[in-house]
Amino acid sequence: MNEISNRIPIDTAELILYCSELRKTLDFYIEGLSFKLHTIFPADDPRVAVISGFGMRIRLEVGDTGSSEGIVVRLNCDIPQSDERTITAPNGVRFMLVQGNPPLILPEVRSKFAINRFDEKADWIIGRAGMRYRNLVPDRAGGYMIASHIHVPDAGPVPDYVHFHNIHFQMIYCYKGWARLVYEDQGEPFIFREGDCVLQPPLIRHRVLESSGNLEVVEISSPAEHETHSDLELKLPTPVIDSKREFSGQRFVHHKSSTADWSSWQLDGFEFRDTGIFEATNGIANVKIVRGVLNFNTQRTARNYAKLLFVFILKGSLSLRIDNEDHQPLSEGDSYVIPTGGMLALSECSNGTEFLAVEFL
């Protein structure tokens, strides 16, 4: 198709819909749905009409309506969800009148203790822009969140575009390699390096420009299912720089590992660096990178008071025990989820073991 469009300049595109009675069908589209008439012929006995509306161009032709009866067209409207309905045109085409900008629905957390291991059985699927995705939370906490291990194998430009997400929360941690990113009102493109973390507030426009070979990131979003929209008009970088701008009550964060300070963590033998995401999200989530500073075998215990605790092992190894379950050895690439109220115990941790900890509050 690219070869055709490159060799033959295409002016407009028309969707052909057949009808048995042109006049009756045309009245429905023009009078009932406010489409505009462009062309009609022949004058003495019209059999073809070209109409347009809502970004669509339709060619109505008299003919067998069988091929039109299975077609459904969504019309995004400024109406309450309770007023959504479906109407059927004389030629069998169904028009769904739906709420054009529905509110974001955040499912309740339904989490349970789970471990996801990174081994030869790990399933990768091809997702948006050709990137490889590995799901880290199979039940997605009842739809409340999704955690993905994302891999970009080849170095060079990334086939991405300016886009944004309709989300409640979204962060990305650079696990391996680097990428060049650009964000709305945050200045020139920058290098996102191993150990760095970004908070992508709701609706902020951004784009991945290029990456190293074998780039790996951990992306965590809430809710699990959310829409990604392209922005065909905005050019990045934007001429305005406003690092304190709020997007739906949240601020952009670029946490740099190279300049981060480490502090003592809640469990002996560990220290952490704070990403600043708790403050930037007004308490929606707390994101920390934790590392062991001692070799120890004895248990370090704590209770999870957050809605959900997600942990991804970045380096080294440790042993995890939740409530009265058996100890589970974990190593690089493994992850686990602890539900609210769960008592966890860490042991057999080596100096330099490091993990990403995300608490939904």
Side-chain angles (χ1 to χ4, degrees):
M1 182 61 193
N2 287 338
E3 294 181 0
I4 295 175
S5 62
N6 288 336
R7 289 188 292 107
I8 306 173
I10 297 175
D11 182 31
T12 58
E14 298 173 353
L15 175 65
I16 299 178
L17 298 178
Y18 294 100
C19 58
S20 56
E21 299 180 54
L22 182 61
R23 180 182 296 277
K24 183 179 180 181
T25 304
L26 195 57
D27 287 345
F28 175 88
Y29 280 78
I30 293 177
E31 301 298 331
L33 296 177
S34 299
F35 277 82
K36 306 298 181 183
L37 177 65
H38 289 273
T39 305
I40 188 168
F41 64 92
D44 61 330
D45 184 17
R47 296 189 302 276
V48 176
V50 178
I51 58 177
S52 70
F54 320 109
M56 299 180 62
R57 189 176 176 95
I58 295 174
R59 183 183 179 93
L60 295 171
E61 294 189 5
V62 175
D64 183 5
T65 61
S67 60
S68 298
E69 291 178 354
I71 295 176
V72 179
V73 178
R74 285 173 55 99
L75 296 178
N76 299 319
C77 312
D78 185 17
I79 59 172
Q81 194 171 26
S82 58
D83 289 343
E84 293 184 348
R85 60 191 184 275
T86 299
I87 56 177
T88 304
N91 60 342
V93 176
R94 289 183 295 151
F95 287 85
M96 298 174 59
L97 279 69
V98 299
Q99 192 174 19
N101 189 25
L104 183 68
I105 298 176
L106 190 63
E108 290 189 12
V109 178
R110 295 201 309 270
S111 64
K112 60 183 179 181
F113 172 60
I115 290 178
N116 186 289
R117 299 192 181 279
F118 186 36
D119 53 28
E120 65 278 0
K121 296 179 182 179
D123 292 328
W124 294 90
I125 61 172
I126 303 300
R128 191 184 64 82
M131 297 180 285
R132 301 173 69 225
Y133 282 71
R134 182 170 73 94
N135 183 20
L136 301 177
V137 183
D139 67 352
R140 301 186 177 185
Y144 182 81
M145 59 87 73
I146 181 173
S148 302
H149 181 185
I150 304 174
H151 176 220
V152 180
D154 300 324
V158 174
D160 197 13
Y161 43 85
V162 177
H163 65 280
F164 60 96
H165 309 284
N166 186 20
I167 42 90
H168 175 64
F169 170 83
Q170 187 172 65
M171 58 145 288
I172 302 177
Y173 178 87
C174 188
Y175 180 32
K176 296 179 180 179
W178 60 264
R180 194 161 67 96
L181 313 177
V182 62
Y183 285 85
E184 180 182 4
D185 290 356
Q186 307 306 313
E188 294 296 318
F190 62 88
I191 300 298
F192 183 48
R193 304 182 188 279
E194 184 174 321
D196 290 358
C197 184
V198 295
L199 172 72
Q200 297 183 164
L203 309 182
I204 188 171
R205 273 62 171 170
H206 56 283
R207 183 182 179 187
V208 182
L209 300 172
E210 61 178 317
S211 76
S212 65
N214 289 316
L215 168 68
E216 296 183 44
V217 303
V218 177
E219 181 181 270
I220 300 170
S221 306
S222 177
E225 292 190 1
H226 54 271
E227 296 177 343
T228 296
H229 302 275
S230 63
D231 190 325
L232 304 178
E233 304 297 330
L234 188 70
K235 303 297 181 183
L236 294 178
T238 49
V240 175
I241 300 178
D242 185 0
S243 61
K244 295 183 178 180
R245 177 182 171 182
E246 290 193 351
F247 298 81
S248 300
Q250 300 181 37
R251 291 182 288 104
F252 173 78
V253 170
H254 177 199
H255 171 76
K256 300 178 182 179
S257 62
S258 60
T259 58
D261 295 324
W262 293 86
S263 306
S264 297
W265 197 43
Q266 65 190 77
L267 300 183
D268 292 339
F270 292 94
E271 62 181 8
F272 78 97
R273 50 185 167 99
D274 189 357
T275 61
I277 288 177
F278 176 81
E279 180 181 358
T281 61
N282 291 309
I284 289 176
N286 200 0
V287 179
K288 299 176 180 177
I289 291 84
V290 182
R291 69 183 179 189
V293 293
L294 298 173
N295 292 311
F296 63 85
N297 293 320
T298 56
Q299 291 187 161
R300 308 291 201 264
T301 61
R303 187 174 297 279
N304 173 41
Y305 292 102
K307 292 179 183 178
L308 177 151
L309 170 63
F310 171 81
V311 173
F312 183 90
I313 310 299
L314 301 166
K315 298 177 182 177
S317 62
L318 53 80
S319 181
L320 169 70
R321 183 178 182 183
I322 177 70
D323 296 332
N324 295 318
E325 299 291 334
D326 294 335
H327 283 278
Q328 298 285 343
L330 300 175
S331 57
E332 182 176 331
D334 293 344
S335 59
Y336 61 87
V337 173
I338 305 293
T340 186
M343 178 67 76
L344 62 97
L346 303 179
S347 62
E348 300 177 18
C349 180
S350 59
N351 186 4
T353 291
E354 196 167 313
F355 54 87
L356 170 69
V358 181
E359 296 175 303
F360 285 96
L361 305 172

